[in-house]
Amino acid sequence: MIRIAMTSVYVDDEEKAHVFYRDVLGFETRTDLDLGGARFITVAAPGQDVELLLEPGDSPLAQQYRAGLREAGLPCLVLGVDDLRAEYERLSGLGVRFTQAPTKQGPLLTAVLDDTVGNLVQLTQPAA
């Protein structure tokens, strides 16, 4: 069986991203290696196997990709939550900026936040 083991998100600042994804979103650090000039940092939701690599986004390709996503207002990552409205309130209280408040979109309830390191991230849950 093939499964997703790791995916990545380009970030402006690896340490700032690490703090945001760990301390604000609640992920746990799985890997943090100093590679001499760059770090290899992965985080994951507690109890889940899929890791998110916080990839340096300073290459021309990464910059073009991220600029295109932001211009279109598209998230680079979609995260599932159990209670979107509660997460929206919790994260807003921590100063997280949302570009879209909780909104029903067909069978889903979604919200979009700014991860502080150059990306939009969508939170989603099935609509009741």
Side-chain angles (χ1 to χ4, degrees):
M1 178 173 103
I2 297 174
R3 63 184 172 78
I4 298 171
M6 183 183 303
T7 189
S8 64
V9 60
Y10 292 117
V11 299
D12 293 337
D13 180 313
E14 292 163 283
E15 180 56 29
K16 186 175 179 182
H18 188 208
V19 169
F20 182 83
Y21 281 83
R22 183 192 63 209
D23 297 348
V24 177
L25 296 186
F27 288 2
E28 57 190 26
T29 303
R30 296 286 175 85
T31 308
D32 186 354
L33 299 172
D34 184 348
L35 302 176
R39 288 169 63 192
F40 185 87
I41 304 170
T42 67
V43 296
Q48 293 194 339
D49 292 335
V50 177
E51 295 182 34
L52 180 64
L53 173 62
L54 305 175
E55 184 88 37
D58 54 358
S59 74
L61 178 63
Q63 290 174 354
Q64 183 179 8
Y65 170 74
R66 291 181 344 141
L69 285 177
R70 283 197 75 95
E71 284 175 25
L74 296 173
C76 71
L77 181 65
V78 178
L79 303 173
V81 297
D82 294 326
D83 185 340
L84 183 82
R85 293 188 192 286
E87 283 298 324
Y88 176 80
E89 292 302 322
R90 181 184 78 81
L91 293 171
S92 293
L94 292 173
V96 173
R97 186 178 73 80
F98 280 82
T99 62
Q100 177 199 306
T103 304
K104 188 171 187 296
Q105 294 184 331
L108 300 174
L109 185 62
T110 67
V112 178
L113 63 86
D114 184 324
D115 77 353
T116 74
V117 286
N119 304 294
L120 299 177
V121 175
Q122 184 177 62
L123 302 180
T124 186
Q125 82 170 70

